Amino acid sequence: MSVTAAPASTGARRARWRAAVVGWAFLAPLLLLNALVVLGPSVATVYYSFTDWSGLGPATFIGFDNYVKAFGDAKVHEALWHNLVWFVLFLSVPMAMGLLGAYLLSQVKRGQMLFRALYFIPYVIASVVNAAVWKMLLSPTSGVLAQLGIDQSWLGDTRTSLLSVNFVVDWHWWGFLAVIFLSAMQGVDPELYDAAKMDGASAWQQYRSVTLPGIRPTMVFIVLMTVIWSLKAFDYIFIMTQGGPAGSSEVVSTLMYKQAFNEYSAGYAAALGLSMTLVTAVILAFYQWMRKKGWEDA
Amino acid sequence: MSAATLEKPVTVQDKKAPARRKKTKAHYYLILIVLALFAVGPLVAVVFNAFKNNAEIGSNPLAPPTSFSLENFTEAWTRGDFATTMRNSLIICLGSVAGTCVIAGLAAFALSQLKVPGGGAVVAYLFLGSALPVQLFLVPLFFLWTQLHLTDNLFGLILIYWATDAPFATLLLRSFLLKIPKDFTEAARLDGASSFQIAWKVVLPLAWPGFLTVALIVALWSWNEFFWAITFIHTPELRPVSTSFLAFQDQYSTDWGLTSAAAIFMLGPVLLLFLVLQRKFVSGLTSGGVK
């Protein structure tokens, strides 16, 4: 018995070893490509953030200078403030519209699919197209509001540029949230509604005490992602205003892009990019921690 | 609904309920229609403008066209060189879809059907990786791509799309493959099939709905994508339709008829595909496809 047991266990070990090699071989293309495009350059960013690299030639190590500069940079402060404004708007407006849309959709049967599709359409259309459409509609010469006699250069005025771009982003985004919230609402146990009705709860009371708690995990997730997306806000701003006029719609990521490709301060841009990533990581860690604490299903 | 009403003790309030419910439903539809107009109204305006000349747009920018002129479309097609940019975008879409399906398909197979030590860590990495801002690796990647002569190169762009879309595609496909009963693959293994044969002959035929979803979403993303394209492609003849549309729109910013027609070239294919395969789009994009 003991004589045959030894080869059997080496055989088993060899089989396990073989399975591991085969498994990693299937994963190899994904991981190698990721190392080349994402992981390798990310590690390089950590290094470059401590240098005065221009993006082309050699880089000299300068310690924490880039980070010190970022902390004192008035442009960064302004951009961060814009990110915060962006976050507040991007969290409240699409969320409110999405919840309203989802609730109404969940209450009707006829036409539900059609409305759902219509709300979703702006989300699947390219940002460059949506931006062009709204540039047209917000035009001070013959846009929608110009037709109503309101003379305002929405994208060209420092007071309204950030708000106007955010409005366009909210417009393309809320329908997506409505669809997500609708499917979350459809997952809520119908018996809970019956129980609430038995207790004589009004539609609003049912919404507050059954619907909202029922979709809470989805909402927590969306809030978390909204924080991250607000930090990453880039494309519509880049397309519609390039951060202008006079930096009035500049956010951290557009500032970083300009530092890297227009100002040839790639080292500084790397420091900004890494700082953004660290903030994202902290938010993700906080979310995980909350989930572990069971806040989500409470 | 009515059963629940019958069970309840009859009160004055309940007698009123049916009438009130009908009324509120009408209100619901009213708000739903207003929201729908808000969502698609701007796009309808673009369709209208594409058929109008500039004099008509200037006098009446939001109304339906009084005559159907296709002049804007023919003008925009040649001036924007859409024949070239559409071809570029088509190459990028097909390349991205094919590569992503292969790369993500292999990885998803390993992460769902094979016992890979450390597989859980890979899944966690893929989740986390998709939340990272591209600003983290953008600049060194550009430097690397310049060194490798992959800037101003369609394949260079496709490589980036493979890398950025594959994590999402892997996770999505994995959730499809996890639903395939282990008995299927175990039976094939007992018959002496290799892992590759199992992947090819047993799993792939069962997983094609998942692949179709991934293909649709990757095609949509690479068609719409502009950030990587504008950063890595500068030669006008190599531009995909998204960045060339952006340049076109900057150039003819006052000519709304022309830019509207160009916008239709870009959104038309997406809209058609969406209307035909609406369920697949929605389920794929909401299943964590949040970029």
Side-chain angles (χ1 to χ4, degrees):
Chain A
M1 261 309 243
S2 61
V3 182
T4 53
S9 83
T10 42
R13 202 179 304 153
R14 195 179 300 152
R16 233 180 313 157
W17 177 243
R18 228 185 95 81
V21 171
V22 171
W24 283 95
F26 275 88
L27 288 173
L30 174 74
L31 296 179
L32 289 177
L33 196 65
N34 191 271
L36 181 73
V37 175
V38 179
L39 199 59
S42 297
V43 173
T45 293
V46 178
Y47 167 71
Y48 284 127
S49 74
F50 294 103
T51 70
D52 65 349
W53 192 40
S54 71
L56 296 164
T60 320
F61 188 80
I62 54 166
F64 280 91
D65 283 10
N66 285 327
Y67 293 93
V68 174
K69 186 182 164 194
F71 264 99
D73 194 337
K75 275 188 179 168
V76 174
H77 297 167
E78 204 190 347
L80 275 174
W81 168 246
H82 294 153
N83 275 102
L84 191 68
V85 172
W86 187 275
F87 165 69
V88 171
L89 292 170
F90 191 42
L91 184 67
S92 52
V93 179
M95 187 84 112
M97 290 185 70
L99 282 172
L100 174 69
Y103 176 72
L104 296 174
L105 283 177
S106 72
Q107 297 299 304
V108 302
K109 282 208 178 67
R110 195 184 290 259
Q112 194 198 59
M113 286 296 283
L114 173 71
F115 284 114
R116 199 184 73 150
L118 292 176
Y119 297 170
F120 205 79
I121 283 175
Y123 179 71
V124 297
I125 290 175
S127 50
V128 283
V129 172
N130 282 339
V133 170
W134 279 100
K135 265 187 176 172
M136 200 157 79
L137 295 174
L138 293 173
S139 149
T141 49
S142 38
V144 186
L145 291 162
Q147 292 294 304
L148 300 173
I150 301 167
D151 182 24
Q152 169 69 25
S153 172
W154 298 99
L155 295 163
D157 186 327
T158 51
R159 283 167 305 169
T160 52
S161 59
L162 186 70
L163 301 181
S164 304
V165 181
N166 185 271
F167 167 79
V168 176
V169 173
D170 295 346
W171 167 79
H172 108 289
W173 183 247
W174 73 270
F176 175 72
L177 285 189
V179 171
I180 289 197
F181 287 142
L182 174 65
S183 64
M185 284 175 187
Q186 285 166 340
V188 176
D189 186 356
E191 281 184 23
L192 292 175
Y193 288 105
D194 291 341
K197 269 182 225 148
M198 294 283 257
D199 291 341
S202 68
W204 172 244
Q205 282 167 333
Q206 285 176 38
Y207 181 70
R208 276 200 45 193
S209 50
V210 180
T211 311
L212 284 183
I215 64 168
R216 189 153 127 184
T218 309
M219 283 183 60
V220 170
F221 178 73
I222 293 294
V223 170
L224 165 93
M225 292 310 288
T226 303
V227 181
I228 293 174
W229 289 319
S230 302
L231 210 58
K232 292 205 273 193
F234 181 87
D235 38 359
Y236 280 86
I237 299 171
F238 187 80
I239 297 168
M240 297 185 80
T241 64
Q242 270 101 44
S248 59
S249 59
E250 196 87 88
V251 290
V252 178
S253 56
T254 54
L255 184 69
M256 190 224 133
Y257 193 87
K258 284 179 187 166
Q259 290 293 332
F261 294 107
N262 302 346
E263 313 276 325
Y264 299 104
S265 311
Y268 187 47
L272 291 177
L274 192 63
S275 307
M276 283 171 67
T277 309
L278 289 178
V279 176
T280 307
V282 168
I283 295 161
L284 283 175
F286 179 66
Y287 175 69
Q288 278 300 327
W289 177 74
M290 280 200 318
R291 246 173 58 146
K292 281 239 167 72
K293 270 185 69 182
W295 188 73
E296 197 184 15
D297 7 63
Chain B
M1 204 67 148
S2 58
T5 320
L6 285 177
E7 276 165 21
K8 275 196 263 176
V10 180
T11 62
V12 183
Q13 211 184 2
D14 273 319
K15 274 182 196 150
K16 270 194 204 156
R20 203 177 53 195
R21 186 146 50 225
K22 249 201 184 122
K23 203 175 140 205
T24 48
K25 279 275 150 82
H27 282 286
Y28 286 174
Y29 277 109
L30 188 69
I31 306 173
L32 282 169
I33 290 168
V34 170
L35 286 175
L37 285 177
F38 177 61
V40 296
L43 302 169
V44 174
V46 167
V47 175
F48 286 169
N49 281 351
F51 291 101
K52 293 191 273 195
N53 60 35
N54 281 324
E56 203 186 335
I57 294 174
S59 63
N60 216 344
L62 299 172
T66 46
S67 63
F68 277 88
S69 157
L70 294 176
E71 202 182 317
N72 287 327
F73 289 97
T74 51
E75 272 290 276
W77 183 269
T78 47
R79 282 207 223 171
D81 198 9
F82 273 90
T84 309
T85 59
M86 286 255 184
R87 194 205 60 202
N88 292 338
S89 274
L90 215 59
I91 294 171
I92 293 169
C93 275
L94 292 176
S96 308
V97 166
T100 307
C101 280
V102 171
I103 294 162
L106 290 173
F109 175 73
L111 293 173
S112 60
Q113 305 290 328
L114 305 175
K115 289 193 194 78
V116 187
V122 174
V123 172
Y125 174 74
L126 294 179
F127 264 116
L128 277 180
S130 48
L132 291 179
V134 296
Q135 279 79 3
L136 179 62
F137 53 92
L138 169 67
V139 184
L141 179 66
F142 185 78
F143 183 64
L144 178 67
W145 251 225
T146 312
Q147 302 284 306
L148 296 172
H149 301 289
L150 286 171
T151 52
D152 264 335
N153 181 325
L154 291 186
F155 180 67
L157 191 62
I158 292 173
L159 266 179
I160 297 175
Y161 291 166
W162 286 353
T164 50
D165 293 351
F168 157 78
T170 305
L171 293 173
L172 189 77
L173 281 176
R174 177 173 169 268
S175 68
F176 270 92
L177 298 189
L178 283 173
K179 287 183 214 142
I180 295 175
K182 280 270 187 333
D183 305 358
F184 279 50
T185 51
E186 284 306 314
R189 201 177 294 280
L190 287 176
D191 287 346
S194 71
S195 291
F196 193 76
Q197 284 170 322
I198 293 171
W200 187 250
K201 297 224 173 94
V202 182
V203 175
L204 186 64
L206 290 169
W208 72 267
F211 278 98
L212 188 60
T213 307
V214 165
L216 264 183
I217 290 168
V218 172
L220 176 73
W221 282 347
S222 24
W223 180 268
N224 285 350
E225 208 284 329
F226 102 99
F227 174 75
W228 294 112
I230 205 166
T231 311
F232 283 77
I233 306 266
H234 300 120
T235 315
E237 299 81 62
L238 288 175
R239 278 186 191 143
V241 77
S242 61
T243 56
S244 102
F245 171 78
L246 192 60
F248 182 85
Q249 190 247 331
D250 272 342
Q251 195 182 344
Y252 300 99
S253 57
T254 49
D255 196 331
W256 287 359
L258 218 50
T259 46
S260 295
I264 304 252
F265 291 144
M266 186 155 184
L267 67 82
V270 172
L271 212 54
L272 279 182
L273 214 57
F274 175 76
L275 292 177
V276 176
L277 297 164
Q278 193 219 123
R279 277 165 204 271
K280 269 217 141 356
F281 266 106
V282 173
S283 70
L285 285 168
T286 53
S287 71
V290 276
K291 274 226 308 203

